[in-house]
Amino acid sequence: MVSRLAWVTAREARGLDEDEPLALAALRSTGVSVEVLDWDDPDVDWSGFDRVVLRSTWDYPQRIPEFLTWLDRVDSVTTLVNPPTMVRWSLDKQYLAELNEAGVPIIPTVFVPPGSAATYPAGDFVVKPAVGAGSRDAAAYAADQHDAAMTHIDRLHVAGQVVLVQPLLRSIAVEGEWPLVFFDGEFSHAASKRVDLPRAGAVEDLFAAETNAQHVATAEQVEVAQAAVDVVTDRLGPPTYARVDLVRDDRGEFCVLEVELIEPSLFLPYADPAAAQRLAAVLLC
């Protein structure tokens, strides 16, 4: 029985989470007590909550050691959603290689560890850190900007990051991305998203600006996204919430750009009215 729930954010993220008003209203309509708290607030007694839910802890990529220590501490005294095993898996986008090995279509990706040289796809491409969120430290480059990209990669390597190099798919400028949201391993709803990455630069804010809209997922989109969630479920159990971002590759096929299990935006304002109630149900069960 869940009577007290902590909805966890970060000081800089307060007021920026579009999901929050709808989700909190749905949770409170069940009679549960909900408090919105900063994850790094030293005065919070996390053991006083039946459930602690990661939602907008958007500063964690810059504070990984501190964040992981906090995760383990909270997990030792209460139920954390999603649990630390899933957070750690989703934290590093090298999981894309695992999805690929399992037969899940992914965006073509070259992994560049510190001390190794990058190879680039033909045409425009994207450089991003393996550990990051909200498109922070990601940037797009033209085919003739390898030197500028190398400067970016060197900076990420100095910070200890493995770097991902991916083609800038032609479809993204036209169609954007499709986030598909899952609750307890089952598809709930979808949206469409457009993110304008800086050219030969990097996002320095908590997240890149997005333009979002409603979207009815196709059966093919659900099949691809479900395959990614099934890999997680087989390895770690069903995630209470998950978001799988899809794009269309240059062959016209849907593929996975990202699987977000940490603090994904769930696009509740663009979903059917019952989506917030479905979220509340899985958080309280």
Side-chain angles (χ1 to χ4, degrees):
M1 177 74 176
V2 177
S3 60
R4 294 190 70 207
L5 182 145
W7 181 273
V8 186
T9 184
R11 185 174 60 257
E12 292 178 80
R14 283 184 174 263
L16 301 179
D17 180 5
E18 289 187 318
D19 295 326
E20 192 171 285
L22 291 168
L24 295 186
L27 285 164
R28 287 168 176 155
S29 73
T30 70
V32 69
S33 172
V34 183
E35 293 185 45
V36 180
L37 299 166
D38 298 340
W39 70 269
D40 59 351
D41 185 340
D43 296 326
V44 176
D45 177 10
W46 301 102
S47 68
F49 295 92
D50 306 300
R51 194 129 315 157
V52 174
V53 181
L54 296 170
R55 291 312 312 133
S56 49
T57 55
W58 293 335
D59 60 350
Y60 78 85
Q62 290 73 54
R63 305 169 65 184
I64 292 292
E66 182 183 358
F67 182 67
L68 293 178
T69 298
W70 174 83
L71 284 180
D72 291 336
R73 185 171 72 251
V74 174
D75 187 56
S76 71
V77 297
T78 187
T79 300
L80 187 66
V81 178
N82 281 314
T85 51
M86 288 186 186
V87 170
R88 283 181 162 86
W89 185 88
S90 183
L91 190 68
D92 190 328
K93 293 181 180 65
Q94 292 183 87
Y95 63 70
L96 289 170
E98 183 176 341
L99 296 181
N100 185 54
E101 291 173 3
V104 178
I106 66 166
I107 185 171
T109 303
V110 174
F111 301 95
V112 189
S116 62
T119 59
Y120 303 100
D124 294 357
F125 60 95
V126 173
V127 169
K128 64 176 69 169
V131 178
S135 298
R136 187 182 173 98
D137 278 331
Y141 295 90
D144 61 354
Q145 291 184 303
H146 289 186
D147 288 346
M150 196 65 247
T151 299
H152 184 176
I153 292 169
D154 286 344
R155 176 171 58 81
L156 293 174
H157 279 173
V158 167
Q161 285 271 20
V162 173
V163 175
L164 277 58
V165 179
Q166 300 169 327
L168 182 60
L169 300 177
R170 293 188 295 270
S171 67
I172 292 178
V174 179
E175 298 177 298
E177 307 170 17
W178 296 277
L180 274 67
V181 176
F182 292 75
F183 296 144
D184 200 26
E186 296 184 2
F187 174 67
S188 171
H189 59 275
S192 68
K193 176 174 71 171
R194 293 176 183 271
V195 179
D196 292 326
L197 290 179
R199 283 284 181 166
V203 176
E204 298 297 340
D205 296 327
L206 280 178
F207 53 86
E210 299 176 356
T211 302
N212 306 317
Q214 295 178 334
H215 174 69
V216 177
T218 67
E220 183 182 358
Q221 288 176 324
V222 174
E223 181 180 5
V224 172
Q226 184 71 64
V229 173
D230 288 348
V231 170
V232 175
T233 299
D234 289 345
R235 174 170 175 162
L236 302 169
T240 300
Y241 48 72
R243 196 190 75 224
V244 181
D245 291 346
L246 301 182
V247 291
R248 196 190 301 270
D249 66 20
D250 288 340
R251 300 171 301 168
E253 304 291 332
F254 295 113
C255 61
V256 174
L257 177 65
E258 180 177 6
V259 177
E260 174 58 79
L261 306 176
I262 304 173
E263 32 60 90
S265 294
L266 300 173
F267 294 89
L268 295 180
Y270 311 97
D272 60 280
Q277 295 293 339
R278 292 195 295 273
L279 172 63
V282 297
L283 291 178
L284 300 179
C285 67

